[in-house]
Amino acid sequence: MQIRTGDTYDPRVIALLDHHVATARAQTAPGSAHALDLSGLRAADVAFWTGWDGETLVAVGALKTLSASHGEVKSMHTLQTARRRGFGALMLGHIIEEARKRGLARLSLETGSWDYFKPAHALYRAHGFVLCDPFEGYVEDPNSLFLTLDLIRR
């Protein structure tokens, strides 16, 4: 997979992101979905990437800078027909490496707690993420799972 800086004006990217947001909201209780929309991905504190298998867009992912030492994984999504081929792991690995290059000490994320999100939980845990308390404005929510990765010790 080739990872590129994401173009949030590319219709293929827009279509995959629209699907991601719609699916996340459909699989989460009202008020508990925190996926970034296009304007959120265009914010100055967000770096966004796309993953390509040839000319096919297969994955997206973003890194939101929360502070000089803390970042958040956002908008991780793999095309349904491209799942279980390692593209999500490659994108997450890229985000982790970018966080390290930027000198971040901690990388966190929020994801759904429902069964639909279990494959994502397994992916994050395989990369060393562990459960944590809500962070950066999130509140305790039975529909959310909060994970963090210590980039200094790992």
Side-chain angles (χ1 to χ4, degrees):
M1 177 175 79
Q2 181 187 36
I3 297 176
R4 306 177 194 158
T5 298
D7 177 358
T8 58
Y9 296 95
D10 183 320
R12 298 167 294 181
V13 174
I14 293 169
L16 185 58
L17 288 169
D18 283 349
H19 174 76
H20 167 62
V21 171
T23 302
R25 290 190 176 141
Q27 294 294 330
T28 306
S32 294
H34 304 286
L36 291 179
D37 61 12
L38 286 169
S39 64
L41 290 170
R42 292 175 181 147
D45 60 349
V46 175
F48 172 65
W49 297 279
T50 53
W52 299 84
D53 182 21
E55 291 303 310
T56 303
L57 174 63
V58 294
V60 293
L63 170 62
K64 181 176 182 179
T65 301
L66 302 176
S67 72
S69 62
H70 191 193
E72 180 180 7
V73 176
K74 296 297 290 182
S75 300
M76 280 283 301
H77 187 80
T78 302
L79 183 69
Q80 182 68 38
T81 57
R83 292 188 179 165
R84 307 209 49 85
R85 293 175 47 199
F87 296 131
L90 289 170
M91 181 60 75
L92 182 57
H94 178 78
I95 293 169
I96 291 168
E97 281 309 306
E98 283 294 320
R100 281 192 175 110
K101 285 179 189 175
R102 293 166 188 234
L104 301 180
R106 179 176 163 207
L107 190 56
S108 301
L109 63 93
E110 178 278 337
T111 189
S113 63
W114 299 13
D115 286 349
Y116 172 82
F117 297 98
K118 282 188 177 180
H121 302 165
L123 172 67
Y124 298 132
R125 287 191 170 120
H127 280 81
F129 284 82
V130 296
L131 290 172
C132 68
D133 291 329
F135 59 93
E136 193 64 33
Y138 289 107
V139 296
E140 195 65 44
D141 180 349
N143 299 303
S144 290
L145 190 69
F146 302 97
L147 300 167
T148 196
L149 177 66
D150 183 331
L151 296 172
I152 303 299
R153 293 188 193 161
R154 188 151 198 283

